[in-house]
Amino acid sequence: MLKYLIVMLDRASVPFCHHEPAEKNEGLISAADLKNAIRFGMKENLVIQFVYPDRAIPAELENIIETIDHVKIKPYPSGKDDVLVADIGAIPQKAENETLVIRASIQELAEKVSEVENAIYRFKRVNIILKEPDSISEEDAGAYKLFLDRLTYYIAGQTASGKELPQFNLLTDRILLDKMNNCGAGDESITIAPDGKMYVCPAFYYDGDAPVEWDKEEGLQLPNAQLYRLDHAPICRACDAFQCHRCVWLNRRRTLEVNTPGHTQCILSHHERNASRNLLGRLREAGIAATLKDIPELDYLDPFEIVK
Amino acid sequence: MDGIKSNKVIWKDGTAKNITFIVTKDCQLACKYCYLVGKNEKERMSWQVAKSAIDYILDHKSDFNEESVIWDFIGGEPFLEIDLIDQICDYIKKELYIRGHHWFNSYRFNFSTNGINYDSEKVQQFIAKNREHLSIGITIDGTRRKHDLNRIWKGDGPEKGSYDDVVRNIPLWLKQFPHGGTKVTISSADIPYIKESVLHLYSLGIHEVNINAVFEDVWKEGDDDLFEQQLTELADAIIDGGWYEDYACSFYSENIGKPLDPVYDNTNWCGAGRMLAVDAAGNFYPCTRFAAYSLRSKKPLIIGNVHDGIDRDKLRPFLTLDRTTQSPQNCIDCEVASGCAWCQGENYDAAESPTIYQRATAICKMHKARVRANNYYWNKLFRKLELEGRREEYEANRKTSNPILPC
């Protein structure tokens, strides 16, 4: 069931997820399309998220945006709002009550781990999104594990010394979840692009996919829509890496099917899951988090092994 | 009990790795029901591509850990490339020996041929050389009128059937392969000739007739009724004529037409992805049906090539695919689901989006018609055995399951 509507205000809207930014081929959404998008979101009871480009948008559009409750996703440093998106090389030093999305490669994470550590306690929430996930190798996955292990020690130490457990997508989400909480593109969320048309997510728009139609009686006219749901994903429905993005776009790039993740994606998510398990263990050793649910030990890093 | 011949027993119980060389996309025939929409005379496999494929496969032993292997040769018509095939088979045998490979002496060379070149000197030399490791099936569709309805020579001018050119080689083939079976394909126009065709093939001495109704959406209103009628009449003829003692027809199986449990009977029907096919360009496919020349409306689904190897991520959807995830709810709830087959390639080709996870159901009404005729067949046969006092003997010796026949 749809819950979220993402509205890209410009073709060069900030990439807040795995996809790469568009070339500076600017193309603002029209006022009419923006109004229609908002009207659609209101009628379908959707939470609306507006994704901004790295430049000011006309006052006319801003005024339309303010006609509805919403979340703003903006690039740093031009924005200062609900969700900021920053490259790891330009993490904001001052923050208020925002969520920060850090886009980084694994190599950059390994090199700038202390900057991530500092950010985790400055923001309400930090999400790390891996850039160019398509080119991540198994060797990179090893470096990712080391990065996660270091953060596990850091967060456990800080929490033990009295700080509140932060919200950090890679390590604390899994501790707090008891079922899958994934991206949900094509199932729980849908994107309206600057052309006024509907797509599974911004990455599908950039890939040149055909737009998806909406029927007010039948809902989303997405061919084989069931494949975007967890119950039609044989590997994922057997998995307990609840924090995984389960990115349908990345799935399709790697395996040609939206419901099937590639091997590396599963490995990375299981490193996050296992590091979360280690963090939970350390918190318990410090007398914290006793009431949280166990994360069981696994003897695999890729649930494909138990499904095939 | 010798009394009822059962369907084909598959070599190594179907556990062998199946590796297919698409040696040519050319064929002497232009069969009307052929799913190969992109046949041509240009795409012939080179020795270099074939050798690279074999080297890749044998170099990656751990990725091919099945105990046995079936090296399949397909076209078009594979025997048009008998020189290349001979070279490939010699190389495989030599390499298996040199490498001490676990497939040495646990391999078959398998062919599905239109039978036209069967008696040629080169093909006969090849058969003599590889006799102990060879399976060859000749496709003959039945009576002359049934066969010539679809299996015609390619080219301009008036239609010319190929029956005479094939049937003349049947005695030689059966002499060399007495247990050889033939594969018959049924589409809409063939239905009225099913009974006469199966009986004709029996009369030619072919003991194993494997028949498939095509998976494509070709069926017309009323085809199911006619199909059921033909299979019922065929059941009468087989049982009344005592053919069932020594001859088998894959239409009739004790195990079809039952409901399937969504948890315990949830395996995929098709072996795509567990097989491997390679074409003239050196591309790897999960099965030949995913190569460009087999597809009407989708892009080829390539999973690698002889230079870069197999992209194992692209195999994951195939290896995790189950029955219920790809089936619509009415198939999951179907009371006669068992034995209802599908082809993953046709599913992909017919799907609304590029996915292997949407089951094509064009065959549904034909399956249900088959189930009704199949029920009739077994009820009639069991009653006959009962009256002859042979039913208990049959029950004591019955097989627990019939093998799934390859497509």
Side-chain angles (χ1 to χ4, degrees), chain B residues 16-295:
Chain B
K17 184 77 182 179
N18 199 297
I19 297 170
T20 304
F21 292 88
I22 307 171
V23 287
T24 177
K25 293 178 182 171
D26 192 15
C27 182
Q28 306 98 321
L29 304 183
C31 302
K32 292 175 189 169
Y33 52 53
C34 184
Y35 64 84
L36 301 176
V37 291
K39 282 193 291 191
N40 65 76
E41 295 169 13
K42 292 177 191 159
E43 291 179 79
R44 300 168 60 198
M45 186 175 279
S46 67
W47 163 242
Q48 200 47 52
V49 164
K51 180 179 179 300
S52 299
I54 297 163
D55 288 342
Y56 172 79
I57 291 161
L58 299 184
D59 283 347
H60 292 80
K61 233 176 180 174
S62 60
D63 290 340
F64 297 89
N65 52 14
E66 291 84 353
E67 275 183 30
S68 309
V69 63
I70 297 172
W71 303 96
D72 233 317
F73 297 89
I74 197 169
E77 166 51 35
F79 283 149
L80 289 176
E81 296 293 336
I82 188 63
D83 290 335
L84 173 69
I85 289 168
D86 189 40
Q87 195 175 5
I88 290 173
C89 293
D90 282 352
Y91 184 69
I92 287 171
K93 288 182 285 187
K94 187 186 86 180
E95 286 297 309
L96 290 179
Y97 176 73
I98 290 170
R99 294 166 185 252
H101 197 285
H102 62 278
W103 286 343
F104 180 72
N105 223 22
S106 193
Y107 68 89
R108 307 284 292 172
F109 297 131
N110 190 53
F111 296 83
S112 247
T113 172
N114 60 30
I116 290 170
N117 286 356
Y118 187 81
D119 61 344
S120 71
E121 193 180 340
K122 283 183 175 175
V123 172
Q124 285 300 307
Q125 280 172 354
F126 176 82
I127 290 171
K129 192 158 128 186
N130 294 286
R131 182 67 196 86
E132 298 305 311
H133 290 275
L134 210 50
S135 307
I136 299 179
I138 291 183
T139 300
I140 179 166
D141 266 2
T143 54
R144 178 193 303 278
R145 65 174 174 170
K146 156 79 172 82
H147 184 96
D148 286 349
L149 193 65
N150 283 310
R151 300 186 69 80
I152 56 171
W153 285 86
K154 77 173 175 190
D156 301 329
E159 272 186 20
K160 186 184 168 221
S162 61
Y163 176 83
D164 289 335
D165 309 288
V166 178
V167 79
R168 68 184 177 81
N169 282 325
I170 297 297
L172 174 61
W173 171 58
L174 287 176
K175 190 176 160 199
Q176 293 171 328
F177 298 94
H179 302 295
T182 192
K183 202 152 101 176
V184 178
T185 305
I186 303 293
S187 62
S188 183
D190 307 302
I191 298 173
Y193 313 110
I194 292 173
K195 176 190 159 192
E196 66 175 42
S197 291
V198 173
L199 296 175
H200 177 68
L201 295 171
Y202 287 173
S203 74
L204 291 176
I206 300 170
H207 288 243
E208 181 80 43
V209 178
N210 298 305
I211 312 191
N212 288 319
V214 298
F215 294 106
E216 287 78 3
D217 190 7
V218 298
W219 306 109
K220 299 189 183 100
E221 189 71 32
D223 277 354
D224 50 340
D225 292 336
L226 195 53
F227 190 54
E228 181 182 336
Q229 184 191 337
Q230 279 288 310
L231 297 196
T232 306
E233 289 177 13
L234 178 61
D236 285 336
I238 289 175
I239 294 169
D240 295 344
W243 290 101
Y244 62 89
E245 306 259 357
D246 268 329
Y247 294 78
C249 173
S250 62
F251 272 139
Y252 308 109
S253 163
E254 273 193 87
N255 299 305
I256 71 163
K258 313 280 192 303
L260 289 173
D261 187 278
V263 175
Y264 299 107
D265 300 314
N266 198 24
T267 52
N268 193 21
W269 176 278
C270 173
R274 297 179 195 278
M275 310 184 267
L276 182 70
V278 57
D279 72 358
N283 288 322
F284 287 134
Y285 303 91
C287 151
T288 59
R289 190 64 174 75
F290 289 89
Y293 81 143
S294 304
L295 295 165

Side-chain angles (χ1 to χ4, degrees), chain A residues 154-190:
Chain A
Y154 177 72
I155 293 172
Q158 295 289 310
T159 311
S161 66
K163 284 190 177 172
E164 198 177 331
L165 186 67
Q167 286 190 46
F168 177 45
N169 69 329
L170 303 183
L171 290 175
T172 62
D173 283 5
R174 176 59 186 86
I175 290 175
L176 299 170
L177 290 168
D178 59 5
K179 63 178 182 180
M180 279 288 183
N181 182 28
N182 318 121
C183 162
D187 178 24
E188 295 190 336
S189 76
I190 200 76

